[in-house]
Amino acid sequence: MTTAEQSTPERYFRHAVEHHWSPYDIDCSADRATLDGLGRRAFTQLRATVAMFGAGEERVTEDLLPLAGTVDGGADQRFVASHIYEEAKHAAFFDRYWTDVVRPAEEARGLDPTDPTADRWFTPAYETVFDRTTAAMERLQTDDTPESRARAYCHYHLTVEGVFGQTGFHAVEATFGPDTDGPSLPGLVSGFASVRRDEGRHVGYGVTRLGDLLERGAVDPSLVRETVASLADPVDAVVAEMGWKHLPGPDADDLTAFVAEQRENRLDQLLDEEATADAGDAGSAP
């Protein structure tokens, strides 16, 4: 079967198989020296960022399970199975980074080792975003309607992965990447690049399925806009805290503008009739 003949989920599944990576193969040894040299506030902010990503990946792994029980067809089932596996793999990467890089850096500073799941790392706005996403996904188990599916895709794929996550990737890569003026964290940036490629497939799948609902008139575009708008305030509040205060890189204003642009781009891509037929994440997905 040629690529043109394959369904979207089949193409995404094949892409996942062909671009497999292991969270245990990424070399994070050079990151320790950089963390040792960070100022106290920058180190605390970096720990909060890693903790939020790790906890987020744990949450979305669990949140995806209700969707797995609703998809039909072999291609969709294969893709969603790979999707769950990849989210678990992402969580494993951030857990490993905390154990192998963050905790030794804490000990070198004479700090008590911290837990990446400690409440100190998570703001009420962060909890709001993920609690609402969990509720939208769990609703599929008791009310599997086109409207429930649309809200699930809006929360999980379009907002948490397509807007929130992509802004977080940008915040870290634009600060700690090789082409920036900030300190270098090659292990973290390499892990983010692999996670981001996976997320491109995930976003592409969810937005494509959401586009299918819109195209056949099963849901109204206003439901999509209202759902995404309902998450804008808590997402923006978390993103503003990701702006680096003591390092070169995007600050709170930069990231607030970036996340707003991401949100509008996703909606324009989805709701533009010409884009609906190919609503995947063209920059990352196959």
Side-chain angles (χ1 to χ4, degrees), residues 21-90:
W21 60 280
S22 169
Y24 306 105
D25 289 342
I26 294 174
D27 183 3
C28 298
S29 58
D31 292 32
R32 266 295 315 281
T34 299
L35 263 60
D36 289 345
L38 289 181
R40 178 178 59 84
R41 291 184 178 180
F43 180 59
T44 297
Q45 186 177 3
L46 178 69
R47 287 187 292 169
T49 299
V50 173
M52 284 191 290
F53 265 96
E57 297 292 353
E58 292 280 3
R59 289 288 294 268
V60 296
T61 303
E62 298 173 2
D63 289 346
L64 197 57
L65 295 177
L67 180 64
T70 67
V71 295
D72 300 318
D76 282 79
Q77 291 169 347
R78 284 191 293 272
F79 175 76
V80 173
S82 73
H83 190 339
I84 295 172
Y85 164 68
E86 287 173 343
E87 299 295 7
K89 185 168 64 173
H90 301 168

Side-chain angles (χ1 to χ4, degrees), residues 5-279:
E5 294 170 328
Q6 292 174 353
S7 67
T8 295
E10 186 65 35
R11 286 190 291 113
Y12 285 151
F13 176 71
R14 181 168 179 171
H15 190 267
V17 172
E18 293 175 346
H19 292 81
H20 180 271
W21 60 280
S22 169
Y24 306 105
D25 289 342
I26 294 174
D27 183 3
C28 298
S29 58
D31 292 32
R32 266 295 315 281
T34 299
L35 263 60
D36 289 345
L38 289 181
R40 178 178 59 84
R41 291 184 178 180
F43 180 59
T44 297
Q45 186 177 3
L46 178 69
R47 287 187 292 169
T49 299
V50 173
M52 284 191 290
F53 265 96
E57 297 292 353
E58 292 280 3
R59 289 288 294 268
V60 296
T61 303
E62 298 173 2
D63 289 346
L64 197 57
L65 295 177
L67 180 64
T70 67
V71 295
D72 300 318
D76 282 79
Q77 291 169 347
R78 284 191 293 272
F79 175 76
V80 173
S82 73
H83 190 339
I84 295 172
Y85 164 68
E86 287 173 343
E87 299 295 7
K89 185 168 64 173
H90 301 168
F93 169 73
F94 289 110
D95 182 69
R96 178 194 164 217
Y97 195 86
W98 196 276
T99 300
D100 293 353
V101 182
V102 172
R103 191 159 289 154
E106 291 177 329
E107 294 172 352
R109 291 167 180 261
L111 301 174
D112 291 334
T114 59
D115 190 323
T117 64
D119 290 342
R120 64 178 291 188
W121 306 122
F122 311 114
T123 65
Y126 179 93
E127 297 288 358
T128 294
V129 172
F130 284 96
D131 286 348
R132 290 183 184 177
T133 300
T134 297
M137 300 303 289
E138 289 181 345
R139 187 173 182 178
L140 294 174
Q141 296 175 314
T142 58
D143 184 34
D144 182 16
T145 64
E147 291 80 7
S148 293
R149 289 197 184 198
R151 290 189 180 95
Y153 292 134
C154 284
H155 278 79
Y156 191 112
H157 298 87
L158 199 156
T159 298
V160 170
E161 292 197 329
V163 174
F164 194 14
Q166 294 298 320
T167 302
F169 295 147
H170 170 69
V172 170
E173 292 169 349
T175 303
F176 299 104
D179 300 323
T180 72
D181 295 328
S184 178
L185 291 174
L188 185 62
V189 170
S190 177
F192 267 48
S194 295
V195 170
R196 191 174 196 169
R197 184 173 61 238
D198 292 346
E199 302 290 11
R201 290 190 296 273
H202 305 167
V203 173
Y205 174 81
V207 174
T208 297
R209 284 291 172 253
L210 183 54
D212 292 342
L213 293 172
L214 290 166
E215 188 173 16
R216 59 188 176 88
V219 297
D220 191 83
S222 62
L223 181 148
V224 174
R225 289 197 177 277
E226 290 167 4
T227 303
V228 173
S230 72
L231 290 164
D233 285 347
V235 166
D236 291 359
V238 179
V239 165
E241 293 298 318
M242 291 181 180
W244 300 102
K245 303 178 182 67
H246 304 282
L247 292 173
D251 61 18
D253 290 340
D254 295 331
L255 291 182
T256 300
F258 184 90
V259 76
E261 182 179 12
Q262 285 286 106
R263 184 181 297 115
E264 286 306 310
N265 286 345
R266 292 293 183 191
L267 288 172
D268 289 346
Q269 178 189 41
L270 177 66
L271 300 178
D272 181 349
E273 290 183 357
E274 294 182 1
T276 300
D278 186 18

